[in-house]
Amino acid sequence: MQAPSSEDLRSTPSRSSSARLNHTSPLSSHRQSFTESLRGHPPSPRTTRQPSLSQAQLQELLNNPPTAGTADPTFSGRDWQTIGVGELCDPADLRWVEFDSGVEDATNLLINSGAHVLLVRHHKDERAAHATYDYRDLTQYLLFATGQLQPDEEHFPIFTSLAKKAQAGHPIPLRDAKSLGNKEPFMTLPATANLTHAIEVFGGGVHRIVIVEEGTDNVVGILSQLRLVKFLWENGRNFPIIDSLYSSSIRELGIGFQQTISVNGDKALKEALKLMNNEGLTSLPVVDNQLNVIGNISNVDVKLLTKSSSAPLLDNTCIHFISVILSTRGMNDGKDSFPVFHINPYSTLAHTVAKLVATRAHRMWVTDSPSPSLASTSMPQLSQPSVSHPPSHLSSLPQSSPPFLPLSNTPSVSASALPGANMGGRLAGVVSLTDILNLFARASGLHPTDPDERRRQRRRSSSSSMMRGSLDSARSSSLDVSTASIKR
């Protein structure tokens, strides 16, 4: 047998390779895709997965949300009306300042401590409080410092004294700032008093109570409306009378439909702050031209105005300030923030209280279905804040010139550009912590005072302490309050 030549050896692989190519089918030469390789395999269970909650179950969860906190076993089986107010207080929450403290120092402590109120005493060794300093006081002082408050004849000497101190560069003591007017009644209860006393006081419109040792003026804590509502919410199953109310809608309970003061989003921020100060309000809904709620401004938001560089915000629109609020929350919390301060007439009390507790707000705006809005177009400037019942004491008065130039280079922000702006609806009313605690008190057979009367008293107090009149004589004396601006 003749051995193959070298030429035959070189050609053999080529011929065999050619033979294999000639006998390869088109299908076998096609590389299967990942999708094709899965053909014949059972489908993913995700394609047949049913929703975890049905629409009815989801609605039930919204109507009756679970409490975020855990019920305290200390109060299990106890009648809430026998619980002492001192049991809900923590002395570690107390923050103190003295009457001689500067407004700047007090404001820094209020903001940096995270407290909502400071107790004011005469000297550092004292344990008795004689007044409080909170964001409503800060709002009033800010309006004074920027020339928005004007003195009537009664308050003119106070205004003159403060303006002279500011002109000389002297710190404004808290004692003098408090003389501009008290925004909140100073109420005390002994720690041994039960919650029935507190809920009657709160149901009448008081926002906080200072708790003292029995038989002394020594302060042991502060009980607020929000803390009591949170306590009753988290321990509701222990209090059947109150717990039975949570499943009812606010419409069924007859709360939340009183007339509500609002401000148009294109109104200057300083007008909203003056409106809040005049009416004794802690927050204000911001609406578009069709009264759709597009945001919320509260007294606590005033902390964003305490730097002198923030003063131009007062001349910018309320909508712009809302964008600043949301942006600041986003930076602080590390995520976007959306307005959630509204409910509808069919929201249950449980849903309403859960929102109040979660947001730590004092009120929820009741909204109907949104109205067709012109928010995407330029809204016209209004001469006065939009209110449902313009109060008689809001008259047109000459305003003092602010100690800063109006903001001119900041771009305007439309209502449609606000995150979550389309989540609101037409303003129909408001549900406050006062309304809820008044409801709890009446359901328990108690007799709280009429909160509407308290609101009228607060407005009268704000009106009488509001500095009005002409500043012509003060201006002729070259009094400059610009140096009274709060700086941090």
Side-chain angles (χ1 to χ4, degrees):
M1 182 175 180
Q2 185 178 2
S5 65
S6 59
E7 183 177 348
D8 292 334
L9 290 173
R10 285 193 301 269
S11 63
T12 298
S14 177
R15 287 196 298 268
S16 61
S17 175
S18 177
R20 286 195 299 271
L21 288 174
N22 291 337
H23 289 86
T24 301
S25 67
L27 291 177
S28 62
S29 66
H30 172 68
R31 172 176 285 184
Q32 288 184 326
S33 68
F34 177 76
T35 303
E36 290 172 335
S37 68
L38 294 178
R39 288 176 180 172
H41 292 270
S44 170
R46 292 186 177 183
T47 61
T48 57
R49 179 180 295 172
Q50 297 297 320
S52 301
L53 293 175
S54 66
Q55 184 63 35
Q57 290 172 323
L58 181 60
Q59 188 61 48
E60 174 65 19
L61 182 62
L62 291 174
N63 289 340
N64 300 285
T67 57
T70 304
D72 191 338
T74 305
F75 304 104
S76 179
R78 295 177 60 183
D79 183 352
W80 72 268
Q81 298 186 57
T82 65
I83 296 173
V85 293
E87 297 182 67
L88 272 62
C89 296
D90 185 356
D93 295 337
L94 301 179
R95 298 291 184 272
W96 294 88
V97 289
E98 288 69 53
F99 277 111
D100 292 331
S101 301
V103 174
E104 179 181 349
D105 293 335
T107 299
N108 287 335
L109 178 60
L110 181 67
I111 295 173
N112 296 332
S113 68
H116 285 276
V117 61
L118 305 179
L119 296 174
V120 186
R121 58 190 174 186
H122 290 295
H123 53 81
K124 290 185 177 181
D125 297 329
E126 192 176 19
R127 293 180 57 196
H130 304 278
T132 58
Y133 180 71
D134 60 12
Y135 284 102
R136 296 175 68 189
D137 295 308
L138 176 58
T139 300
Q140 182 170 250
Y141 181 76
L142 178 69
L143 292 172
F144 157 75
T146 54
Q148 302 303 317
L149 291 185
Q150 302 182 15
D152 56 17
E153 183 177 353
E154 178 184 355
H155 292 91
F156 187 82
I158 299 173
F159 182 90
T160 303
S161 174
L162 291 181
K164 286 182 177 179
K165 287 182 180 180
Q167 185 183 37
H170 297 155
I172 304 296
L174 201 58
R175 184 189 312 275
D176 291 348
K178 290 292 294 183
S179 66
L180 294 174
N182 293 319
K183 311 307 296 180
E184 180 74 16
F186 186 79
M187 305 287 294
T188 63
L189 275 178
T192 54
N194 56 46
L195 290 183
T196 57
H197 293 85
I199 203 169
E200 282 191 315
V201 172
F202 286 147
V206 175
H207 294 155
R208 72 177 68 91
I209 302 172
V210 176
I211 309 303
V212 299
E213 290 179 354
E214 182 75 29
T216 74
D217 293 329
N218 295 335
V219 179
V220 296
I222 298 175
L223 183 61
S224 67
Q225 285 183 326
L226 182 60
R227 176 169 290 188
L228 181 53
V229 167
K230 184 175 185 289
F231 169 77
L232 295 174
W233 169 241
E234 293 178 346
N235 297 274
R237 293 184 178 181
N238 296 327
F239 316 132
I241 294 178
I242 291 177
D243 192 51
S244 64
L245 299 172
Y246 285 127
S247 60
S248 300
S249 70
I250 61 171
R251 179 181 291 275
E252 293 171 334
L253 295 172
I255 60 175
F257 298 98
Q258 64 266 34
Q259 289 182 315
T260 306
I261 298 175
S262 62
V263 64
N264 186 277
D266 269 357
K267 199 65 181 172
L269 174 61
K270 63 185 179 183
E271 299 300 330
L273 298 183
K274 285 191 288 186
L275 185 61
M276 292 168 64
N277 184 70
N278 293 351
E279 296 297 314
L281 303 173
T282 58
S283 62
L284 196 64
V286 181
V287 299
D288 63 14
N289 286 356
Q290 285 67 44
L291 287 182
N292 294 316
V293 177
I294 56 177
N296 179 87
I297 296 175
S298 74
N299 280 130
V300 178
D301 297 323
V302 173
K303 64 186 177 183
L304 301 177
L305 303 172
T306 54
K307 293 182 179 179
S308 56
S309 59
S310 301
L313 287 172
L314 290 171
D315 273 349
N316 211 323
T317 65
C318 292
I319 288 181
H320 177 74
F321 187 56
I322 290 174
S323 69
V324 173
I325 295 170
L326 299 181
S327 175
T328 303
R329 289 178 187 167
M331 289 187 293
N332 293 340
D333 300 339
K335 56 185 178 181
D336 291 337
S337 179
F338 298 93
V340 290
F341 298 104
H342 62 266
I343 54 176
N344 64 65
Y346 301 100
S347 297
T348 61
L349 183 62
H351 179 77
T352 304
V353 172
K355 269 195 167 185
L356 286 166
V357 171
T359 60
R360 299 187 61 82
H362 286 185
R363 54 185 49 79
M364 285 285 151
W365 312 115
V366 182
T367 61
D368 291 328
S369 299
S371 300
S373 177
L374 299 178
S376 59
T377 62
S378 177
M379 291 188 290
Q381 296 289 336
L382 301 183
S383 58
Q384 292 293 333
S386 171
V387 296
S388 55
H389 55 297
S392 59
H393 63 269
L394 286 182
S395 56
S396 179
L397 296 170
Q399 299 295 317
S400 57
S401 300
F404 50 80
L405 295 176
L407 191 64
S408 59
N409 297 324
T410 302
S412 60
V413 181
S414 68
S416 60
L418 288 175
N422 60 340
M423 297 166 57
R426 184 179 176 84
L427 182 64
V430 59
V431 176
S432 67
L433 294 175
T434 296
D435 298 323
I436 292 172
L437 290 171
N438 185 277
L439 173 67
F440 289 166
R442 289 184 287 108
S444 302
L446 304 176
H447 303 283
T449 58
D450 181 7
D452 290 332
E453 177 57 30
R454 171 69 67 179
R455 293 182 182 110
R456 287 189 289 269
Q457 290 177 357
R458 187 180 294 119
R459 287 167 185 164
R460 287 195 294 267
S461 174
S462 297
S463 176
S464 62
S465 64
M466 176 66 180
M467 296 186 155
R468 298 184 179 276
S470 174
L471 277 180
D472 291 343
S473 56
R475 293 300 176 191
S476 63
S477 301
S478 300
L479 297 181
D480 183 8
V481 299
S482 63
T483 55
S485 298
I486 307 170
K487 299 179 182 179
R488 289 177 58 200

